[in-house]
Amino acid sequence: DVKVTQSSRYLVKRTGEKVFLECVQDMDHENMFWYRQDPGLGLRLIYFSYDVKMKEKGDIPEGYSVSREKKERFSLILESASTNQTSMYLCASTRGQPQHFGDGTRLSIL
Amino acid sequence: AQSVTQPDIHITVSEGASLELRCNYSYGATPYLFWYVQSPGQGLQLLLKYFSGDTLVQGIKGFEAEFKRSQSSFNLRKPSVHWSDAAEYFCAVAAPGGYNKLIFGAGTRLAVHP
């Protein structure tokens, strides 16, 4: 079975902090994704990566950046956290379809 | 622009009753179609997918979905709901090829009465 592991299930940070969310997959997948999930809005794509050191903006990249130094790891970075970034963040990976998801990180920015 | 609409935000059914969750998409060609389920506090689990061929697809946990090209729909069904089916359900589409990006609907939250 594919395993996508997100480093934290719950995280509480303060406004202005730099926040790192980590995601690791164990299936040598080329493609990895970061989504945020908000009630009534479903999942929205923040960034994705199709190879090491490659990244593409999704639909809502503002206020976020990403890093992919190794194939198995894809990090989401909140450069200066704000309260409107309080949300559930989900990571996914795939070689083709379908995507496989981690359990999510519920992030609260105070 | 591509989009996915799930018209029902909340649905409540009785245990043992049948279920249909609606999904309509807007896309220029036939996309890949998916249904995912999310239990509270969990990530998304794939229920079923449609790429091509038979328009009635079977998934896990007794779910099925039917692709109707003329209606741009991919509705999810289950003949008899169990209390453990209470969760949020997401319909998603992807363009064949490309970077395998998914576009999600807003989700339908299912409650099951005993």
Side-chain angles (χ1 to χ4, degrees), chain A residues 9-10 31 33 35 37 40-43 45 48 50 56-57 88 90 94-104, chain B residues 9 32 34 36 38 40-46 49 51 88 90 94-95 98-107:
Chain A
R9 293 296 303 274
Y10 301 94
N31 304 313
F33 306 82
Y35 298 88
Q37 180 182 7
L41 297 177
L43 279 74
L45 181 63
F48 66 100
Y50 54 90
E56 293 284 341
K57 293 180 180 179
M88 170 76 110
L90 289 159
T94 188
R95 176 169 290 117
Q97 290 290 357
Q99 293 185 15
H100 301 270
F101 285 82
D103 285 339
Chain B
I9 298 174
Y32 294 159
F34 306 85
Y36 283 87
Q38 185 181 36
Q42 302 297 314
L44 273 66
Q45 180 183 21
L46 180 71
K49 61 185 183 291
F51 290 170
E88 189 153 23
F90 292 95
Y99 293 125
N100 304 298
K101 294 191 295 180
L102 288 175
I103 298 171
F104 285 87

Side-chain angles (χ1 to χ4, degrees), chain B residues 33-105:
Chain B
L33 296 158
F34 306 85
W35 276 99
Y36 283 87
V37 60
Q38 185 181 36
S39 298
Q42 302 297 314
L44 273 66
Q45 180 183 21
L46 180 71
L47 282 176
L48 46 77
K49 61 185 183 291
Y50 174 80
F51 290 170
S52 66
D54 192 346
T55 57
L56 184 63
V57 294
Q58 301 298 320
I60 63 171
K61 305 186 180 190
F63 285 91
E64 67 178 25
E66 185 172 13
F67 167 59
K68 292 186 177 180
R69 186 189 309 274
S70 62
Q71 298 177 20
S72 296
S73 69
F74 189 56
N75 294 348
L76 182 71
R77 300 194 295 247
K78 187 170 185 178
S80 178
V81 170
H82 188 262
W83 63 266
S84 60
D85 293 323
E88 189 153 23
Y89 292 80
F90 292 95
C91 180
V93 304
Y99 293 125
N100 304 298
K101 294 191 295 180
L102 288 175
I103 298 171
F104 285 87

Side-chain angles (χ1 to χ4, degrees), chain A residues 23-55:
Chain A
C23 176
V24 176
Q25 50 96 2
D26 66 355
M27 286 300 293
D28 201 39
H29 286 164
E30 288 83 7
N31 304 313
M32 297 187 74
F33 306 82
W34 275 107
Y35 298 88
R36 67 175 281 173
Q37 180 182 7
D38 299 289
L41 297 177
L43 279 74
R44 293 178 292 166
L45 181 63
I46 304 171
Y47 267 98
F48 66 100
S49 168
Y50 54 90
D51 202 349
V52 175
K53 296 191 186 295
M54 306 304 289
K55 60 185 180 183

